[in-house]
Amino acid sequence: INAEYGDKFYDFIGHQCIPKCTSENDWLAQYDEEGQTVGQFKLENPWFSKRKLKYMKQLFVSSGRTILEKYPNGKLLILPIGNLELNVSKIADFAGAYLGIPFEVLPTLETGVDNKEVWVKRGDKKRFVQARVAENGRFQINITAALQEVRYHLEQSSAYSLCVIALTKYELFEDRSDLFVAGMASGNQRIAVFSILRYDPNLTFSSEFWHDVSVVAKPMSKEKSGRLIFERSLKLLVHETMHLLGLDHCIYFECVMNGAGHLEEDFRQPMSLCPLCLRKMKLLTDFDIKLRYERLAEFYQQLGMDKEVKWVTSRLELAV
């Protein structure tokens, strides 16, 4: 790919091939994914179409080469469902630098429980949604109902919304037999919703009862656990947003677009893009790769993410 595209940033140096599975629960032990080449990405991705995507109501320029040339008013939107206890604006700024597309944070969707019924607020009105509430007060929201709320906010912001991805600390479920569902994305509808509750290192979850959640024996400090949740949420957001933008799971290198069969596998995967996925995003956005790495280096330094600082610095050295 380096020879084909003539850019040192696509060099394979430093990139590791995807590791072999070590558990039957690992992603590639469970799923037989074919992978997606750069050519397939460009050929099959509707964001490259000369025709406006279905249900898009914003300005469209058919001659545009990139997503922002085609949709010059376009933004990616984050919808917090309930209090995330995170700096969502900083998450949005980071994701904008990472993907080369501006993000905007929508007002938090207020959520609560009345008489064992879960509601969300649309304006000043409460709207009850499908959910399940346990005797201890814990509740999970049905994922189809959650996606309906995300779709509503996509439509309300149709003058500029490319996609809406919702994040919540509430757990989600689909069927009554589910312990939980991490989340779901609907690429055709340009919406997604994901729970970050299980990113909290201070919580432990029952393998039998969905409502049985407890604090670990030796919890981390609030500052340390909050930083870990924040970093994990960054990776979740860029991974899932790139799915909405047409990138499939990466089966070639260690990459932020690798799939995960369980949380341990998710946590050990890198924050970085491999050469193939970097090329896909370059085609979609035409971001300046050197400038992107420089901006990411600033973010990583501010956030104390030393491993990522070292990585982007090594990539910038390729341009010297």
Side-chain angles (χ1 to χ4, degrees):
I1 190 169
N2 185 25
E4 182 177 354
Y5 298 118
D7 194 320
K8 291 182 179 180
F9 287 119
Y10 301 123
D11 201 307
F12 290 172
I13 294 173
H15 292 278
Q16 302 297 318
C17 291
I18 194 166
K20 292 183 179 180
C21 297
T22 58
S23 164
E24 62 184 11
N25 296 319
D26 285 355
W27 159 53
L28 288 178
Q30 298 185 66
Y31 303 100
D32 183 19
E33 298 203 30
E34 295 181 359
Q36 179 192 50
T37 66
V38 174
Q40 288 171 330
F41 169 77
K42 189 172 183 181
L43 181 65
E44 301 167 0
N45 193 331
W47 292 107
F48 288 109
S49 175
K50 293 185 179 297
R51 302 176 69 175
K52 182 187 289 191
L53 294 186
K54 193 175 182 181
Y55 305 123
M56 293 286 273
K57 298 179 182 179
Q58 58 187 273
L59 175 66
F60 177 69
V61 181
S62 62
S63 60
R65 296 180 304 107
T66 68
I67 188 169
L68 290 180
E69 287 180 4
K70 290 180 179 294
Y71 300 95
N73 298 329
K75 294 181 180 180
L76 297 164
L77 308 183
I78 301 173
L79 173 65
I81 300 179
N83 184 7
L84 296 181
E85 300 178 13
L86 295 173
N87 187 334
V88 187
S89 294
K90 182 165 282 189
I91 290 176
D93 290 342
F94 169 84
Y98 194 101
L99 299 176
I101 302 173
F103 273 75
E104 181 176 303
V105 181
L106 294 172
T108 298
L109 185 62
E110 189 177 343
T111 309
V113 181
D114 287 344
N115 298 320
K116 291 192 175 182
E117 288 193 276
V118 176
W119 52 264
V120 298
K121 262 193 175 181
R122 288 186 182 177
D124 295 328
K125 295 182 178 180
K126 291 181 180 178
R127 181 175 183 274
F128 290 97
V129 296
Q130 184 180 353
R132 57 186 181 187
V133 184
E135 292 297 327
N136 63 3
R138 288 198 168 274
F139 65 86
Q140 292 184 333
I141 301 174
N142 177 267
I143 199 161
T144 301
L147 283 171
Q148 287 175 350
E149 294 304 312
V150 182
R151 186 179 300 111
Y152 169 79
H153 285 80
L154 177 76
E155 293 168 355
Q156 291 297 109
S157 55
S158 60
Y160 59 95
S161 56
L162 297 171
C163 305
V164 179
I165 182 165
L167 299 177
T168 183
K169 289 195 77 172
Y170 301 123
E171 287 225 279
L172 306 166
F173 78 102
E174 185 172 16
D175 300 319
R176 293 186 65 84
S177 60
D178 293 332
L179 270 177
F180 75 100
V181 174
M184 185 178 293
S186 177
N188 290 337
Q189 298 183 57
R190 311 186 337 268
I191 55 175
V193 60
F194 287 88
S195 171
I196 63 171
L197 183 66
R198 292 185 181 240
Y199 285 175
D200 189 337
N202 287 339
L203 298 180
T204 181
F205 299 83
S206 169
S207 59
E208 187 174 1
F209 302 109
W210 65 265
H211 49 77
D212 187 359
V213 182
S214 56
V215 177
V216 297
K218 295 182 178 180
M220 293 181 182
S221 68
K222 188 172 182 179
E223 180 183 355
K224 188 174 181 179
S225 64
R227 182 183 299 176
L228 202 53
I229 296 168
F230 185 84
E231 292 177 9
R232 291 169 175 176
S233 299
L234 293 179
K235 187 164 71 170
L236 169 73
L237 180 65
V238 295
H239 176 104
E240 298 300 342
T241 303
M242 282 190 282
H243 277 321
L244 294 178
L245 295 174
L247 277 78
D248 289 349
H249 281 141
C250 178
I251 65 168
Y252 306 108
F253 294 93
E254 289 187 336
C255 176
V256 75
M257 288 310 293
N258 295 153
H262 48 88
L263 285 175
E264 290 76 11
E265 187 177 28
D266 181 4
F267 296 160
R268 66 174 178 252
Q269 289 167 345
M271 190 73 199
S272 56
L273 286 170
C274 76
L276 294 173
C277 294
L278 178 66
R279 178 59 184 170
K280 292 172 188 177
M281 287 305 300
K282 171 68 173 178
L283 288 171
L284 186 65
T285 67
D286 196 28
F287 52 40
D288 182 308
I289 299 176
K290 183 173 181 290
L291 179 60
R292 172 182 180 269
Y293 279 135
E294 289 172 344
R295 292 187 65 194
L296 290 180
E298 292 178 8
F299 273 104
Y300 291 143
Q301 287 169 351
Q302 293 172 9
L303 298 172
M305 298 172 68
D306 296 337
K307 181 180 177 181
E308 283 70 27
V309 171
K310 184 177 180 180
W311 170 255
V312 294
T313 301
S314 71
R315 305 318 291 173
L316 287 168
E317 288 173 353
L318 294 175
V320 176

